[in-house]
Amino acid sequence: MDLKLHTCFIAVDDHDKAIAFYCDVLGLEIRNDVKYEGMRWTTVGSPLQPDVSIVLEPPAANPDLSPADRDAMEQLLAKGVLRGVNFTTEDCDALFARVQESGAEVLQEPTDMPYGVRDCAFRDPAGNMLRFMERKG
């Protein structure tokens, strides 16, 4: 089976702040930016992985959500309990310094893990947790 990841979604509450973080701080590129019926979806991705994209979307973009579910999604995002994505990097410490300098909330400083990676974690401007891993060995 030739199954590959193509797209994942991250809920954001402010697209302009999210774009500044994902593009200016992390170095991802904008691939698409769509506005429709008062909502916005911005697709970003690494120039090193042209076939993998991240869509930055409103927290309650699903049209089938009830008003109560929309409120719950927005509250979960505001609390910072929604998960984001894991990235790999060749230099965890350099990446940590760059992201920390941007003012992003640090969740974990670079740490050598027993399963063979050095990683760190931050929250993006919407509160999603992002992990950055450097493979060791």
Side-chain angles (χ1 to χ4, degrees):
M1 182 179 293
D2 66 348
L3 187 65
K4 295 181 183 179
L5 176 66
H6 181 268
T7 307
C8 63
F9 295 80
I10 296 177
V12 299
D13 55 358
D14 184 319
H15 275 76
D16 293 328
K17 285 181 183 177
I19 290 168
F21 178 78
Y22 284 93
C23 295
D24 299 341
V25 177
L26 298 184
L28 302 183
E29 61 189 11
I30 294 177
R31 298 193 176 147
N32 202 0
D33 198 356
V34 176
K35 296 177 184 174
Y36 181 72
E37 294 187 3
M39 289 192 273
R40 184 176 181 186
W41 293 263
T42 305
T43 304
V44 298
S46 170
L48 301 174
Q49 290 181 295
D51 58 340
V52 178
S53 296
I54 299 168
V55 178
L56 308 174
E57 68 172 355
N62 182 339
D64 297 324
L65 289 179
S66 70
D69 289 343
R70 285 185 198 287
D71 289 344
M73 283 294 296
E74 290 170 2
Q75 289 174 15
L76 290 171
L77 181 62
K79 289 179 182 181
V81 297
L82 298 179
R83 309 264 310 172
V85 296
N86 292 357
F87 293 91
T88 60
T89 181
E90 292 185 11
D91 189 341
C92 183
D93 294 283
L95 182 129
F96 178 84
R98 186 172 76 236
V99 177
Q100 184 180 35
E101 186 177 290
S102 79
E105 180 185 350
V106 175
L107 297 177
Q108 176 194 308
E109 294 192 9
T111 304
D112 290 323
M113 297 300 200
Y115 43 88
V117 301
R118 180 168 181 79
D119 77 351
C120 61
F122 289 91
R123 290 205 189 280
D124 75 1
N128 297 295
M129 183 180 69
L130 307 177
R131 299 194 75 79
F132 302 91
M133 296 179 278
E134 175 184 349
R135 287 186 168 81
K136 297 304 229 177

